[in-house]
């Protein structure tokens, strides 16, 4: 008799404290990192006082792996699970499903997507399952975009930057404004490595109407086409996507904030010109 837990049944089994059964279904790498005893203790402590965990979101960011978000609405506790195609549990993470009042505040200006091609929303949305930036006020409503073809982010050797579809692709100004800050001259990282000393990497900050500022980060070294003081138009090509700063694979970071200092300003939920707000898992195309 098959005793496997189906991904859609995980919340039921967790709520009924079937922790040992869950653990048996985890992959060997998970078991090497965490013993059964430690897992049961952590799971029991997290479940204590909670009610029923219901499936809130699911997504597939890479081939062969699906992620599921389970939330107890009473206590706002969240469990994130990842299953592979064989039904094995790759990981289990306990967290809090946070929501903030700032979700109701939108930018005054409307913005275009910062590219003209088809890109994939890797991170973006108003909870910390779909957007890992969300708990941090200075980048709460940020987006990370990659390019995918056939469901994959690269073709060829994954250790080479040029294998990634996003690398070298053009980046566009999301709205007309004035360039007020540029970071450049930072080497692009090798895949799976990051430069935490300069988190934004090569970046452009544009001042727009109504004291709103857009940040475009992790740009390719020496690809920036504008200078401080330049005025740019919506859709104007201003740089290329790279892998600089706190980036371990080529992607474009984009958010809008209420000041020029990225780590001291508050991110603002973006009002898009299309009227549609992208979220993680969406494939979107910018306007030419």
């Amino acid at each position: 008799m098959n005793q496997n837990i189906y991904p859609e049944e995980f919340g039921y089994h967790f709520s009924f404290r079937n922790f040992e059964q869950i653990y048996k279904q985890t992959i060997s790498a998970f078991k090497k990192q965490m013993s059964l005893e430690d897992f049961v203790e952590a799971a029991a402590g997290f479940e204590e006082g909670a009610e029923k965990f219901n499936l809130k979101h699911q997504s597939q960011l890479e081939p062969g792996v699906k992620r599921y978000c389970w939330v107890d609405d009473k206590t706002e506790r969240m469990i994130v699970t990842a299953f592979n195609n064989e039904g094995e549990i790759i990981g289990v993470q306990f967290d809090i499903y946070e929501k903030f009042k700032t979700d109701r505040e939108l930018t005054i200006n409307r913005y275009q997507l910062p590219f003209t091609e088809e890109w994939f929303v890797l991170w973006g949305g108003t909870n910390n399952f779909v957007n890992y930036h969300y708990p941090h006020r200075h980048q709460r409503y940020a987006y990370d975009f990659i390019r995918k073809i056939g469901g994959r982010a690269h073709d060829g050797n994954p250790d080479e930057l040029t294998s990634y579809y996003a690398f070298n692709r053009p980046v566009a100004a999301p709205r007309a404004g004035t360039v007020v800050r540029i970071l450049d001259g930072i080497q692009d990282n090798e895949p799976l490595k990051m430069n935490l000393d300069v988190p934004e990497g090569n970046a452009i900050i544009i001042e727009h109407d109504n004291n709103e500022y857009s940040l475009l980060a992790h740009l390719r070294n020496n690809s920036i086409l504008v200078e401080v003081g330049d005025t740019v138009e919506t859709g104007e090509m201003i740089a290329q996507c790279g892998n600089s700063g706190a980036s371990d694979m080529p992607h474009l970071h984009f958010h809008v904030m209420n000041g020029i200092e990225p780590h001291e300003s508050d991110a603002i939920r973006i009002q898009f010109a299309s009227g549609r707000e992208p979220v993680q898992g969406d494939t979107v195309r910018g306007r030419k």
Side-chain angles (χ1 to χ4, degrees), residues 235-253:
E236 180 180 338
M237 296 300 117
I238 55 176
Q240 292 175 328
C241 179
N243 194 44
S244 57
S247 175
D248 63 359
M249 66 177 286
H251 76 278
L252 175 62
H253 174 107

Side-chain angles (χ1 to χ4, degrees), residues 53-73:
F53 283 89
N54 296 301
L55 183 60
K56 199 87 169 181
H57 306 280
Q58 55 183 301
S59 65
Q60 182 164 2
L61 302 185
E62 57 184 302
V65 177
K66 288 188 177 181
R67 298 166 64 246
Y68 300 82
C69 173
W70 301 87
V71 176
D72 168 30
D73 289 322

Side-chain angles (χ1 to χ4, degrees), residues 17-179:
R17 294 184 159 237
N18 295 333
F19 303 140
E20 186 169 346
Q21 186 179 355
I22 291 171
Y23 183 84
K24 288 180 178 178
Q25 202 166 319
T26 60
I27 61 174
S28 58
F30 184 92
K31 293 184 175 76
K32 288 179 181 179
Q33 291 182 343
M34 195 173 203
S35 69
L36 171 61
E37 293 75 17
D38 287 344
F39 177 77
V40 170
E41 180 180 358
F46 186 78
E47 194 276 339
E48 186 70 34
E51 294 187 350
K52 182 180 178 182
F53 283 89
N54 296 301
L55 183 60
K56 199 87 169 181
H57 306 280
Q58 55 183 301
S59 65
Q60 182 164 2
L61 302 185
E62 57 184 302
V65 177
K66 288 188 177 181
R67 298 166 64 246
Y68 300 82
C69 173
W70 301 87
V71 176
D72 168 30
D73 289 322
K74 177 187 175 184
T75 64
E76 298 182 336
R77 296 179 214 188
M78 177 177 77
I79 308 169
V80 176
T81 60
F83 284 75
N84 62 21
N85 282 346
E86 288 70 45
E88 297 174 301
I89 299 172
I90 297 175
V92 180
Q93 178 183 346
F94 305 134
D95 208 336
I96 300 298
Y97 190 77
E98 296 180 283
K99 297 295 288 181
F100 294 95
K101 292 181 180 179
T102 51
D103 291 355
R104 298 193 291 264
E105 302 169 8
L106 300 176
T107 58
I108 297 172
N109 303 319
R110 292 179 177 269
Y111 294 84
Q112 302 280 9
L113 291 164
F115 41 76
T116 58
E117 301 171 307
E118 191 173 85
W119 290 65
F120 178 82
V121 183
L122 182 64
W123 296 104
T126 55
N127 64 70
N128 53 332
F129 175 73
V130 297
N131 192 358
Y132 84 94
H133 306 99
Y134 187 73
H136 313 289
R137 68 173 185 84
H138 69 283
Q139 55 179 351
R140 180 160 297 149
Y141 304 105
Y143 284 89
D144 284 346
F145 297 102
I146 62 173
R147 297 200 73 224
K148 279 189 173 186
I149 297 178
R152 301 184 65 86
H154 61 81
D155 180 32
N157 187 348
D159 294 329
E160 296 181 2
L161 288 176
T162 52
S163 297
Y164 290 80
Y165 297 119
F167 192 68
N168 284 337
R169 300 316 302 165
V171 173
R175 183 179 172 86
T178 302
V179 177

Side-chain angles (χ1 to χ4, degrees), residues 173-191:
R175 183 179 172 86
T178 302
V179 177
V180 291
R181 182 170 296 177
I182 287 176
L183 293 172
D184 203 2
I186 301 165
Q187 292 296 319
D188 289 285
N189 308 315
E190 297 176 16

Side-chain angles (χ1 to χ4, degrees), residues 1-6 9 13 21-22 25:
M1 183 176 180
N2 187 356
Q3 296 295 317
N4 272 3
I5 295 171
Y6 291 103
E9 299 174 342
H13 285 275
Q21 186 179 355
I22 291 171
Q25 202 166 319

